[in-house]
Amino acid sequence: MSERIIIFDTTLRDGEQSPGASLNLVEKVEIAHQLAVLGVDVIEAGFPISSPGDFEAVSAVAREVEGPIICGLSRARRQDIECCYQAVRHSRRPRIHTFIATSDIHVEKKLRKSKEEIIAIAVDAVKFAKSLVSDVEFSCEDAARTNLDYMCEVLRAVIDAGATTVNIPDTVGYSNPWEFGRIIAHIRQHVPNIERAVISVHCHNDLGLAVANSLAAVREGARQVECTINGIGERAGNASLEEIVMNLAVRQDSFPFHTGIKTQEIYRTSRMVSRLTGLLVQANKAVVGGNSFAHEAGIHQDGVLKERTTYEIMTPESVGWTGTSMVLGKHSGRHAFRDRLIQLGFNLDEAGVDTAFARFKALADKKKEIFDDDLAVIAGEIVDQTADGRKETYTLEYIHTTSGNSTVPTATIRLRKGEEELVGAGNGDGPVDAAYSTIRRLTGRCPKLVDYHIHSVTSGTDALGEVRVALEEDGKTAVGRSSSTDVIVASALAYINALNRLENMLERKPEAAEAVRSTP
Ligand code: KIV
Ligand code: ZN
């Protein structure tokens, strides 16, 4: 049997650091469940000390998601590590991941410490983490720009202190495959106790080489790869999980290794992450892009029809790509509908299936063909609305807008807030702006609109339009999402959805801070 490469997924931590990609607790748990189905070995669920929300999300993932190791990130500080422990301890397989920068530029300019001090801090952090859990990972931040002899000293010391995984990040995406491979080979040769730890790599994609660098490292002895779904992450992102895994699967001749990933779950996971983060996948993205399996040129189509492998190095089915063929129509029954939802990974309860089915029927009246992507959006909204028992302060009862090239865009809206009816009209520079300013006036709420994103779920003018709105108030950001064949209605619903979430967030107590304070 070939050696196994450990797939460490950091979509919920580094991936969530992508600009504009904040996820709430329910969304994080939903993604974590799907990552477990996908078969990742480790889920880095967040950075617990960074915010009460992150602490709660890591705790919830640790409590609810079984199978993978659940890991939390912490700086090399006892307070961070303690907080991280309080979040991951709910898992049957907890890991603490602690890090400190080791490159000259970070040590001198950012940390302003001597190199000896850095080693002492790293060793203390690892020993402390080890007193709490047996599975401890240590990262040399900016490893790719760190002096190699010094890094070997750091690694020897942290492995002696108890680190079971040592991670070599290319934090700024500066390296190239030749250089990065050599770094791993050097570590294997010059760290005397390296056999006691797994070598991990964590590559950023600033120069587009994150996947290539990770694979070069695997060839030189790295046995854990840190990556994210769709390659999302800080700046240009991280190494993409699907590209790493499919390289290993398709090119067994170059990479005689295996992973625990169920590749047929890749496409579904990619869609879920894209839907929940609002980060669209570019059409030509390797493995999961909309064009990945589309053969446009006549000569290619002809070849594929005669023999698929002429132009296809992997099948769409191998990554669970279902294409856009029509799946259900107006006359499909509840049973077929429910089966399809289960195949798509949505296990809704009876009430949820009823609501989803009613929405499906309403959509089927407007839109002839219903695709998997439409169903995923409908079901995703039900999961969103029901999973955290959220209170819906405002509901939209009526909206009418007018717009055109020679009229002032206006919106007339009726909202319900408990027993109260809020009715009014207003204008704006377009129908969406008119609707949003009217909602603000009716509710007396004026959060900052930090993101508005609209896209078509499938193709055609009758397609569902999905809108994602992020609102910010008092340092909290809430994301709302909705879909409709009428994009103005979807826009208003998404805004109200975000507003309701903001209300809930502002009402909620900072439980994480409590948890940290009550630590023994
Ligand atoms: O890029 C990086 O260096 C990191 C570490 C915290 C692992 O994300
Ligand atoms: Zn990173």
Side-chain angles (χ1 to χ4, degrees):
M1 183 69 166
S2 62
E3 269 187 87
R4 180 170 174 134
I5 301 299
I6 300 166
I7 299 295
F8 176 115
D9 181 278
T10 183
T11 305
L12 298 177
R13 199 277 297 171
D14 222 336
E16 211 227 0
Q17 286 173 221
S18 306
S22 77
L23 294 162
N24 65 32
L25 185 142
V26 176
E27 292 162 340
K28 284 188 183 175
V29 173
E30 191 181 340
I31 290 176
H33 275 300
Q34 178 57 26
L35 291 173
V37 172
L38 178 65
V40 307
D41 298 288
V42 187
I43 295 176
E44 186 165 56
F47 191 173
I49 194 96
S50 67
S51 71
D54 235 39
F55 179 91
E56 283 178 50
V58 177
S59 309
V61 170
R63 249 187 222 109
E64 293 180 34
V65 179
E66 291 197 4
I69 292 170
I70 306 299
C71 172
L73 183 68
S74 57
R75 288 168 298 186
R77 295 183 186 176
R78 285 185 173 228
Q79 195 200 0
D80 281 35
I81 294 168
E82 176 67 52
C83 175
C84 182
Y85 170 66
Q86 290 303 328
V88 295
R89 74 187 166 92
H90 306 288
S91 168
R92 283 212 284 189
R93 304 177 69 200
R95 174 181 293 186
I96 294 176
H97 177 189
T98 184
F99 73 98
I100 193 162
T102 49
S103 64
D104 287 355
I105 182 162
H106 278 237
V107 170
E108 285 162 22
K109 307 275 188 231
K110 184 179 84 174
L111 302 172
R112 299 192 177 141
K113 301 233 180 275
S114 73
K115 289 187 163 180
E116 293 69 34
E117 281 174 302
I118 297 294
I119 297 187
I121 294 169
V123 165
D124 182 68
V126 170
K127 281 190 176 158
F128 184 57
K130 194 76 182 180
S131 71
L132 303 169
V133 295
S134 59
D135 187 349
V136 175
E137 173 167 336
F138 175 81
S139 286
C140 296
E141 192 190 8
D142 205 17
R145 294 192 299 171
T146 296
N147 173 286
L148 268 180
D149 290 336
Y150 176 61
M151 186 153 65
C152 288
E153 243 186 274
V154 176
L155 295 177
R156 190 193 49 74
V158 295
I159 294 171
D160 271 347
T164 39
T165 301
V166 286
N167 185 36
I168 313 301
D170 181 12
T171 304
V172 290
Y174 179 72
S175 205
N176 60 47
W178 301 270
E179 212 172 76
F180 203 60
R182 274 202 305 272
I183 293 175
I184 304 304
H186 186 97
I187 290 171
R188 285 189 69 202
Q189 279 161 15
H190 294 92
V191 177
N193 52 2
I194 196 68
E195 294 307 325
R196 283 169 28 207
V198 172
I199 302 178
S200 167
V201 288
H202 173 113
C203 297
H204 279 268
N205 205 30
D206 298 64
L207 291 172
L209 291 173
V211 169
N213 289 344
S214 307
L215 293 171
V218 166
R219 280 176 68 101
E220 295 299 340
R223 291 294 175 266
Q224 174 175 288
V225 178
E226 303 197 353
C227 43
T228 59
I229 302 295
N230 301 337
I232 64 171
E234 189 82 42
R235 306 182 310 280
N238 290 59
S240 120
L241 181 146
E242 58 279 6
E243 291 176 27
I244 301 272
V245 167
M246 291 316 285
N247 266 280
L248 297 177
V250 172
R251 294 304 307 273
Q252 280 285 296
D253 53 336
S254 288
F255 306 106
F257 307 106
H258 70 279
T259 69
I261 297 295
K262 290 188 198 68
T263 60
Q264 295 82 352
E265 291 291 332
I266 284 179
Y267 186 69
R268 180 181 304 165
T269 317
S270 160
R271 299 296 300 168
M272 178 188 281
V273 169
S274 172
R275 179 171 59 80
L276 294 178
T277 57
L279 298 174
L280 300 184
V281 176
Q282 78 201 49
N284 60 328
K285 162 88 175 62
V287 183
V288 291
N291 292 349
S292 300
F293 298 98
H295 300 281
E296 186 72 17
I299 190 167
H300 289 202
Q301 291 172 349
D302 180 54
V304 169
L305 287 175
K306 287 179 177 144
E307 167 56 50
R308 271 178 111 163
T309 54
T310 49
Y311 288 98
E312 241 176 43
I313 58 162
M314 56 190 158
T315 61
E317 296 78 25
S318 67
V319 297
W321 202 81
T322 49
T324 51
S325 53
M326 188 189 79
V327 288
L328 294 172
K330 190 174 170 148
H331 302 294
S332 305
R334 190 180 182 281
H335 198 71
F337 175 78
R338 190 197 188 144
D339 280 355
R340 195 67 203 152
L341 286 187
I342 291 171
Q343 279 165 22
L344 290 174
F346 291 97
N347 273 314
L348 301 181
D349 60 17
E350 288 306 314
V353 174
D354 285 345
T355 317
F357 189 60
R359 285 197 198 166
F360 157 72
K361 283 284 175 183
L363 182 62
D365 273 341
K366 294 185 183 152
K367 188 174 182 292
K368 258 202 333 271
E369 300 172 314
I370 309 279
F371 303 101
D372 279 346
D373 284 350
D374 294 317
L375 296 187
V377 166
I378 292 176
E381 279 172 19
I382 312 270
V383 172
D384 248 18
Q385 284 159 9
T386 52
D388 61 353
R390 228 169 329 114
K391 208 172 70 209
E392 302 281 304
T393 310
Y394 303 104
T395 47
L396 177 71
E397 290 192 337
Y398 173 89
I399 177 165
H400 174 81
T401 58
T402 52
S403 66
N405 64 353
S406 58
T407 182
V408 178
T410 57
T412 307
I413 288 180
R414 185 170 73 239
L415 298 177
R416 175 154 301 279
K417 184 183 181 195
E419 298 296 301
E420 216 183 328
E421 230 178 39
L422 310 168
V423 189
N427 50 39
D429 70 2
V432 174
D433 188 46
Y436 285 9
S437 66
T438 306
I439 295 171
R440 281 196 294 272
R441 201 162 45 73
L442 292 178
T443 58
R445 303 287 304 276
C446 206
K448 187 170 165 211
L449 179 71
V450 286
D451 192 29
Y452 172 87
H453 207 96
I454 180 161
H455 79 113
S456 149
V457 174
T458 55
S459 55
T461 49
D462 64 348
L464 266 185
E466 189 178 29
V467 177
R468 181 184 188 271
V469 165
L471 299 178
E472 193 185 279
E473 197 174 280
D474 289 351
K476 306 254 184 229
T477 305
V479 173
R481 209 177 276 102
S482 193
S483 64
S484 167
T485 48
D486 183 322
V487 295
I488 308 298
V489 173
S491 299
L493 286 170
Y495 191 94
I496 290 166
N497 193 219
L499 206 55
N500 285 335
R501 286 186 162 190
L502 206 50
E503 289 264 324
N504 289 334
M505 285 166 94
L506 295 171
E507 269 174 21
R508 214 182 301 155
K509 287 197 198 82
E511 286 158 32
E514 285 301 316
V516 176
R517 272 199 296 276
S518 64
T519 298

